[in-house]
PDB file of all heavy atoms in Angstrom:
ATOM      1  N   PRO A 219      -7.858  26.507 -12.209  1.00 38.00           N
ATOM      2  CA  PRO A 219      -8.046  27.155 -13.502  1.00 38.00           C
ATOM      3  C   PRO A 219      -7.268  26.448 -14.597  1.00 38.00           C
ATOM      4  O   PRO A 219      -6.145  26.005 -14.394  1.00 38.00           O
ATOM      5  CB  PRO A 219      -7.494  28.577 -13.272  1.00 38.00           C
ATOM      6  CG  PRO A 219      -6.507  28.408 -12.158  1.00 38.00           C
ATOM      7  CD  PRO A 219      -7.104  27.344 -11.269  1.00 38.00           C
ATOM      8  N   SER A 227       6.880  26.160 -21.446  1.00 90.00           N
ATOM      9  CA  SER A 227       6.119  25.914 -20.226  1.00 90.00           C
ATOM     10  C   SER A 227       5.831  24.426 -20.075  1.00 90.00           C
ATOM     11  O   SER A 227       5.804  23.680 -21.043  1.00 90.00           O
ATOM     12  CB  SER A 227       4.817  26.712 -20.235  1.00 90.00           C
ATOM     13  OG  SER A 227       3.973  26.274 -21.275  1.00 90.00           O
ATOM     14  N   PRO A 236      -3.519   6.733  -1.276  1.00 84.00           N
ATOM     15  CA  PRO A 236      -2.959   5.639  -0.478  1.00 84.00           C
ATOM     16  C   PRO A 236      -2.351   4.541  -1.329  1.00 84.00           C
ATOM     17  O   PRO A 236      -2.554   4.504  -2.545  1.00 84.00           O
ATOM     18  CB  PRO A 236      -4.181   5.132   0.307  1.00 84.00           C
ATOM     19  CG  PRO A 236      -5.338   5.466  -0.571  1.00 84.00           C
ATOM     20  CD  PRO A 236      -4.995   6.773  -1.212  1.00 84.00           C
ATOM     21  N   GLY A 255       7.033  10.639 -17.039  1.00 97.00           N
ATOM     22  CA  GLY A 255       6.600  10.191 -15.724  1.00 97.00           C
ATOM     23  C   GLY A 255       7.735  10.021 -14.740  1.00 97.00           C
ATOM     24  O   GLY A 255       8.886   9.768 -15.125  1.00 97.00           O
ATOM     25  N   ARG A 262      12.788   7.882  -1.613  1.00 91.00           N
ATOM     26  CA  ARG A 262      12.637   7.880  -0.154  1.00 91.00           C
ATOM     27  C   ARG A 262      13.482   6.744   0.419  1.00 91.00           C
ATOM     28  O   ARG A 262      13.522   5.643  -0.122  1.00 91.00           O
ATOM     29  CB  ARG A 262      11.176   7.658   0.242  1.00 91.00           C
ATOM     30  CG  ARG A 262      10.204   8.640  -0.366  1.00 91.00           C
ATOM     31  CD  ARG A 262       8.775   8.398   0.130  1.00 91.00           C
ATOM     32  NE  ARG A 262       7.820   9.131  -0.681  1.00 91.00           N
ATOM     33  CZ  ARG A 262       7.585  10.437  -0.534  1.00 91.00           C
ATOM     34  NH1 ARG A 262       8.226  11.116   0.399  1.00 91.00           N
ATOM     35  NH2 ARG A 262       6.721  11.047  -1.317  1.00 91.00           N
ATOM     36  N   ALA A 273      16.281  14.030  -4.598  1.00 94.00           N
ATOM     37  CA  ALA A 273      14.935  14.275  -5.116  1.00 94.00           C
ATOM     38  C   ALA A 273      14.849  15.559  -5.929  1.00 94.00           C
ATOM     39  O   ALA A 273      14.202  15.600  -6.982  1.00 94.00           O
ATOM     40  CB  ALA A 273      13.932  14.312  -3.974  1.00 94.00           C
ATOM     41  N   ILE A 281      11.107  17.645 -15.116  1.00 97.00           N
ATOM     42  CA  ILE A 281      10.491  18.856 -15.672  1.00 97.00           C
ATOM     43  C   ILE A 281      11.234  19.298 -16.936  1.00 97.00           C
ATOM     44  O   ILE A 281      10.620  19.653 -17.952  1.00 97.00           O
ATOM     45  CB  ILE A 281      10.490  19.987 -14.636  1.00 97.00           C
ATOM     46  CG1 ILE A 281       9.607  19.632 -13.429  1.00 97.00           C
ATOM     47  CG2 ILE A 281      10.022  21.299 -15.274  1.00 97.00           C
ATOM     48  CD1 ILE A 281       8.138  19.563 -13.720  1.00 97.00           C
ATOM     49  N   THR A 301       4.819  20.137   1.051  1.00 94.00           N
ATOM     50  CA  THR A 301       6.185  20.559   0.737  1.00 94.00           C
ATOM     51  C   THR A 301       6.677  19.919  -0.549  1.00 94.00           C
ATOM     52  O   THR A 301       7.330  20.563  -1.381  1.00 94.00           O
ATOM     53  CB  THR A 301       7.133  20.202   1.884  1.00 94.00           C
ATOM     54  OG1 THR A 301       6.718  20.881   3.070  1.00 94.00           O
ATOM     55  CG2 THR A 301       8.566  20.621   1.562  1.00 94.00           C
ATOM     56  N   VAL A 306       7.596  20.616  -6.875  1.00 96.00           N
ATOM     57  CA  VAL A 306       7.187  20.490  -8.273  1.00 96.00           C
ATOM     58  C   VAL A 306       6.660  21.827  -8.774  1.00 96.00           C
ATOM     59  O   VAL A 306       7.015  22.286  -9.865  1.00 96.00           O
ATOM     60  CB  VAL A 306       6.110  19.396  -8.436  1.00 96.00           C
ATOM     61  CG1 VAL A 306       5.603  19.361  -9.879  1.00 96.00           C
ATOM     62  CG2 VAL A 306       6.649  18.038  -8.016  1.00 96.00           C
ATOM     63  N   ARG A 348       0.046 -12.816   5.070  1.00 70.00           N
ATOM     64  CA  ARG A 348      -0.894 -11.900   4.428  1.00 70.00           C
ATOM     65  C   ARG A 348      -1.391 -10.867   5.430  1.00 70.00           C
ATOM     66  O   ARG A 348      -1.516  -9.681   5.110  1.00 70.00           O
ATOM     67  CB  ARG A 348      -2.077 -12.671   3.841  1.00 70.00           C
ATOM     68  CG  ARG A 348      -1.725 -13.581   2.677  1.00 70.00           C
ATOM     69  CD  ARG A 348      -2.974 -14.194   2.055  1.00 70.00           C
ATOM     70  NE  ARG A 348      -3.783 -13.161   1.413  1.00 70.00           N
ATOM     71  CZ  ARG A 348      -3.629 -12.773   0.152  1.00 70.00           C
ATOM     72  NH1 ARG A 348      -2.689 -13.324  -0.606  1.00 70.00           N
ATOM     73  NH2 ARG A 348      -4.406 -11.844  -0.363  1.00 70.00           N
ATOM     74  N   ARG A 358       1.047   2.241   6.895  1.00 68.00           N
ATOM     75  CA  ARG A 358       1.652   3.174   5.953  1.00 68.00           C
ATOM     76  C   ARG A 358       0.664   4.270   5.562  1.00 68.00           C
ATOM     77  O   ARG A 358       1.018   5.452   5.499  1.00 68.00           O
ATOM     78  CB  ARG A 358       2.127   2.422   4.712  1.00 68.00           C
ATOM     79  CG  ARG A 358       2.725   3.337   3.662  1.00 68.00           C
ATOM     80  CD  ARG A 358       3.176   2.561   2.455  1.00 68.00           C
ATOM     81  NE  ARG A 358       3.287   3.459   1.303  1.00 68.00           N
ATOM     82  CZ  ARG A 358       3.515   3.056   0.063  1.00 68.00           C
ATOM     83  NH1 ARG A 358       3.677   1.767  -0.199  1.00 68.00           N
ATOM     84  NH2 ARG A 358       3.588   3.928  -0.924  1.00 68.00           N
ATOM     85  N   ALA A 359      -0.577   3.886   5.305  1.00 70.00           N
ATOM     86  CA  ALA A 359      -1.599   4.871   4.941  1.00 70.00           C
ATOM     87  C   ALA A 359      -1.810   5.866   6.077  1.00 70.00           C
ATOM     88  O   ALA A 359      -1.986   7.076   5.841  1.00 70.00           O
ATOM     89  CB  ALA A 359      -2.907   4.168   4.599  1.00 70.00           C
ATOM     90  N   GLU A 377     -14.778  -1.778 -12.099  1.00 64.00           N
ATOM     91  CA  GLU A 377     -13.802  -2.078 -13.147  1.00 64.00           C
ATOM     92  C   GLU A 377     -14.189  -1.421 -14.471  1.00 64.00           C
ATOM     93  O   GLU A 377     -15.350  -1.298 -14.812  1.00 64.00           O
ATOM     94  CB  GLU A 377     -13.703  -3.591 -13.349  1.00 64.00           C
ATOM     95  CG  GLU A 377     -13.111  -4.327 -12.166  1.00 64.00           C
ATOM     96  CD  GLU A 377     -11.695  -3.907 -11.866  1.00 64.00           C
ATOM     97  OE1 GLU A 377     -10.937  -3.638 -12.819  1.00 64.00           O
ATOM     98  OE2 GLU A 377     -11.350  -3.828 -10.675  1.00 64.00           O
ATOM     99  N   THR A 378     -13.170  -1.042 -15.221  1.00 53.00           N
ATOM    100  CA  THR A 378     -13.386  -0.522 -16.567  1.00 53.00           C
ATOM    101  C   THR A 378     -12.216  -0.955 -17.423  1.00 53.00           C
ATOM    102  O   THR A 378     -11.212  -1.452 -16.908  1.00 53.00           O
ATOM    103  CB  THR A 378     -13.535   1.005 -16.564  1.00 53.00           C
ATOM    104  OG1 THR A 378     -14.009   1.423 -17.838  1.00 53.00           O
ATOM    105  CG2 THR A 378     -12.216   1.702 -16.279  1.00 53.00           C
ATOM    106  N   SER A 385      -8.705   6.903 -22.469  1.00 79.00           N
ATOM    107  CA  SER A 385      -9.475   8.000 -23.052  1.00 79.00           C
ATOM    108  C   SER A 385      -9.729   9.104 -22.025  1.00 79.00           C
ATOM    109  O   SER A 385      -9.647  10.297 -22.336  1.00 79.00           O
ATOM    110  CB  SER A 385     -10.795   7.477 -23.607  1.00 79.00           C
ATOM    111  OG  SER A 385     -11.598   8.530 -24.081  1.00 79.00           O
ATOM    112  N   GLU A 427     -14.511  13.139   2.010  1.00 33.00           N
ATOM    113  CA  GLU A 427     -13.478  12.832   2.972  1.00 33.00           C
ATOM    114  C   GLU A 427     -12.429  11.947   2.348  1.00 33.00           C
ATOM    115  O   GLU A 427     -12.712  11.136   1.474  1.00 33.00           O
ATOM    116  CB  GLU A 427     -14.073  12.125   4.196  1.00 33.00           C
ATOM    117  CG  GLU A 427     -15.030  12.998   5.003  1.00 33.00           C
ATOM    118  CD  GLU A 427     -15.543  12.273   6.220  1.00 33.00           C
ATOM    119  OE1 GLU A 427     -15.123  11.111   6.417  1.00 33.00           O
ATOM    120  OE2 GLU A 427     -16.311  12.861   6.967  1.00 33.00           O
TER     121      GLU A 427
END
Side-chain angles (χ1 to χ4, degrees):
S227 65
R262 305 183 193 281
I281 295 292
T301 299
V306 175
R348 293 186 67 89
R358 178 180 160 188
E377 293 298 323
T378 192
S385 175
E427 295 182 1

